[in-house]
Each structure stands twice: as structure tokens, then as C-alpha cells.
Amino acid sequence: MPQSTRISPSGISPSGISLADLEPLVVLTGAGISAESGVPTFRGEGGIWQSHRAEDLATPFAFERNPELVWEFYNWRRNLIAQCSPNPGHLTLAQMEIVIKDFLLITQNVDGLHHVAGSINILEIHGSIWQIKCTICGEIRIYRQTDEASTVPMCQVCGELMRPDVVWFGEMLDQEKLNQAFESAARANTMLVIGTSALVQPVNTLPLIAKEAGARLIEINPSPTPLSPIMDMRLSGPSGEMLPGWWDEVKKVSLNSN
Ligand code: BJW
Ligand code: ZN
């Protein structure tokens, strides 16, 4: 039986968690946190991988075979994301960071909406759609082009093909970022796991590492995930509603205990 606590959609936590109970706080987010902003998730109903094959668009082999097609996909995504704004879920995380000093936000999202919301200490562990890198010399450049018809960008240093600076299937994650994520997970008091299906490695091992090291795990997601059974608490609903409700409750508990 899962050892999780289900709480009501009102977001009122029966746990009595206060601010002091949370630090160090690590937050892990996935595509679900941006769903209410209008950014499509990858899996499930309306997910990108329902209508596009990941093998054709998000692997190094796909890019080698057809860079134009992969660029078309990312141009479409950049154009779509540029029209989206942070939702109350993103904004609540930015507010939490002001109060909780030992705070790290690890996001699998490449959309940049956590930055727009005002979060500071962010680890974009799957890269950023707003950055490109040279396939040959590794030059990295900010790329804010949102025209869907833009042509394939070439490197200003060596003239070779640029690619989106994101992590595709079969690629290693940036080792420095990964180390920081593992270390933070191992020393977390609490980890919030928000809007991720927890199907993609190695990021899906972070909650396990935190749990083994004694952290409290809280999942916010309308659907259960493979990690739900190890959660200490589950807020079953959209993060744009559940997270602000839960955060208000934590602040109330803290005020009352002072
Ligand atoms: C809400 C909500 C609301 C909805 N509020 N919630 C066989 C071959 C090759 C590789 C592998 C293999 N078997 C295993 C692997 C490893 C592979 C992997 O894990 N594959 C699994 C899918 C099986 N991993 C990798 O390849 C990684 N690298 C690696 O492991 O290196 C070592 C290695 C190398 C070679 C071989 C083996 C090992 C790299 C993974 C890179 C993932 N890249 C992507 C694309 C990024 C760029 C881009 O965006 O274009 O990252 S794929 C996609 O999945 C994206 C996401 O960051 C990632 C995770 O998805 P996420 O965020 O969880 O989203 P969803 O859609 O899955 O879930 C959304 C959730 O939100 C759902 O739960 C909803 O319920 C919820 N939700 N509305 C809150 N309102
Ligand atoms: Zn170059």
C-alpha cells in the first residue's frame, strides 16, 4: 500500500508542516508545471509524444539524419512557448525561494518559464530551448528566435551546424549539473516533486536518493506516477492550484507556531 497521504483538492494540508521543517528544500519539476501555462507535456493526453515520434526528433541520431526536421520541431516549440506566461505554480516557487534560503529548483523543463517567474537558483538539467550549441566546437549562444520559418543556424565561430542546447534521449546529462542535483537530493530535508511522470532516467532517481537519505517527499500531480508509492504526501491535482494552496497553509502553520 502506498504510504502517501491524499489531501483534498482545496490544497489544505493536514500535515502541519511549517517553514522550519522544509529546509534544505529541493524542488523537482517536469512538464506538468507548465501545462496550465499552455505548454504541452510529453506523455499522456495531448502530449507531444502522442503526435510526434521521439526517435525522429529528440535523439542525436535523428538530428544527424535530418537536422532541418528537428529544427522545424524546435522552432515550433520556441514560437509556442514564447506566447506562454508563468502560472501560479511557477510564481509560488519563486515566492518560496525568497523565504527559504536553502532552496534549489531542479527542472527538466527547457521552456525557461521558471526564470520568467523570478526563480533564481535553477538547475535546468535537460538544457534550455533558448540556447543553442555548435555540433563541432561546442560554442554556446543565446537564441531567442521565435519565427517558425527561421533557417538552421550556423556557428559564428567555426561555421558549422548549431543544435538546440537540450538533452536528447541517449545523451549524457551535464556532469556538473548532475553532481549538483545528486548532492542536493542527498542533503534535502524535503523534496517537492511536481508535474513529472518520473519515467525518464537519470532524473527519476533523484527522489529515491532523497528518500534514502531521509528526506520527506511530496508529490504534486493529478495522476499517480511510479514514484507515488514512496511519497510521504501526495497533492492530487494541478500544480497551479495545489501548490499555492499548500504554500499558504505552510505559511499559516509557521505564523501560528511563532
Ligand atoms: C500535471 C499537470 C498539472 C499534467 N499540474 N502536473 C533505451 C534507449 C536509449 C536510452 C534509454 C533507453 N532506456 C532507457 C534509456 C535512458 C533514457 C530514458 O530514461 N528513457 C525512458 C523514457 C525509458 N534517458 C536518457 O536517455 C537520458 N540520458 C541518459 O540516461 O544517459 C545515459 C544513457 C545513455 C545512453 C543509453 C542509456 C543511458 C536523457 C534523457 C533526456 C530526455 N529529454 C527530453 C527532451 C528534452 C528536450 C526537449 O524538451 O525537447 O526531456 S524527453 C522529455 O521527457 C523531456 C522531459 O524533460 C522528460 C521528462 O518528462 P516530464 O517532465 O516528466 O513530462 P511528462 O510529459 O512525461 O509528464 C508530465 C506529468 O505532468 C504527468 O505525470 C502528468 O500527470 C503531469 N501533469 N498536468 C501538475 N496541471
Ligand atoms: Zn562552432
Side-chain angles (χ1 to χ4, degrees):
M1 273 294 283
Q3 300 219 318
S4 56
T5 311
R6 277 190 185 275
I7 76 161
S8 73
S10 70
I12 303 306
S13 159
S15 63
I17 297 171
S18 74
L19 278 170
D21 289 335
L22 293 173
E23 239 169 323
L25 177 65
V26 175
V27 181
L28 172 63
T29 64
I33 195 160
S34 295
E36 289 151 89
S37 294
V39 182
T41 60
F42 292 94
R43 299 165 187 86
E45 213 189 309
I48 289 177
W49 301 150
Q50 299 281 304
S51 48
H52 300 75
R53 277 164 41 95
E55 297 85 341
D56 294 338
L57 299 166
T59 69
F61 181 62
F63 188 71
E64 227 170 86
R65 197 174 43 202
N66 194 342
E68 288 82 11
L69 178 73
V70 173
W71 265 114
E72 207 177 290
F73 171 63
Y74 280 93
N75 288 345
W76 167 70
R77 300 255 311 276
R78 252 181 292 104
N79 179 279
L80 190 157
I81 292 166
Q83 297 167 53
C84 298
S85 307
N87 66 57
H90 299 106
L91 296 170
T92 301
L93 290 178
Q95 287 161 16
M96 287 167 69
E97 190 174 356
I98 295 170
V99 181
I100 300 172
K101 290 299 161 213
D102 200 338
F103 177 102
L104 177 66
L105 171 52
I106 303 169
T107 187
Q108 297 168 85
N109 300 346
V110 300
D111 58 31
L113 287 178
H114 286 302
H115 284 289
V116 181
S119 287
I120 306 287
N121 204 11
I122 312 174
L123 211 50
E124 288 180 313
I125 203 147
H126 285 163
S128 169
I129 202 162
W130 303 110
Q131 226 168 257
I132 58 179
K133 88 175 165 206
C134 178
T135 50
I136 301 299
C137 75
E139 170 77 3
I140 288 181
R141 185 154 66 88
I142 303 286
Y143 189 69
R144 300 213 66 91
Q145 180 63 254
T146 55
D147 181 357
E148 272 198 64
S150 36
T151 51
V152 174
M154 306 306 280
C155 180
Q156 289 171 349
V157 175
C158 74
E160 294 296 334
L161 195 61
M162 299 291 278
R163 56 162 282 180
D165 189 12
V166 299
V167 184
W168 286 324
F169 286 116
E171 290 187 312
M172 298 300 291
L173 280 67
D174 179 277
Q175 198 56 53
E176 240 174 75
K177 287 185 185 175
L178 202 53
N179 288 346
Q180 198 190 335
F182 283 139
E183 280 161 22
S184 304
R187 60 182 281 278
N189 174 308
T190 302
M191 183 181 276
L192 281 178
V193 183
I194 307 174
T196 176
S197 60
L199 292 172
V200 174
Q201 301 161 14
V203 170
N204 62 356
T205 63
L206 292 171
L208 300 170
I209 289 167
K211 180 79 180 179
E212 262 172 35
R216 171 201 292 119
L217 297 186
I218 302 173
E219 182 171 63
I220 306 184
N221 196 316
S223 309
T225 73
L227 291 179
S228 298
I230 64 158
M231 293 293 150
D232 297 287
M233 187 195 294
R234 261 190 54 76
L235 295 133
S236 185
S239 47
E241 293 171 27
M242 304 308 284
L243 188 56
W246 174 80
W247 179 234
D248 281 348
E249 180 65 17
V250 169
K251 285 187 294 185
K252 249 186 250 158
V253 169
S254 304
L255 271 178
N256 291 339
S257 63
N258 281 338

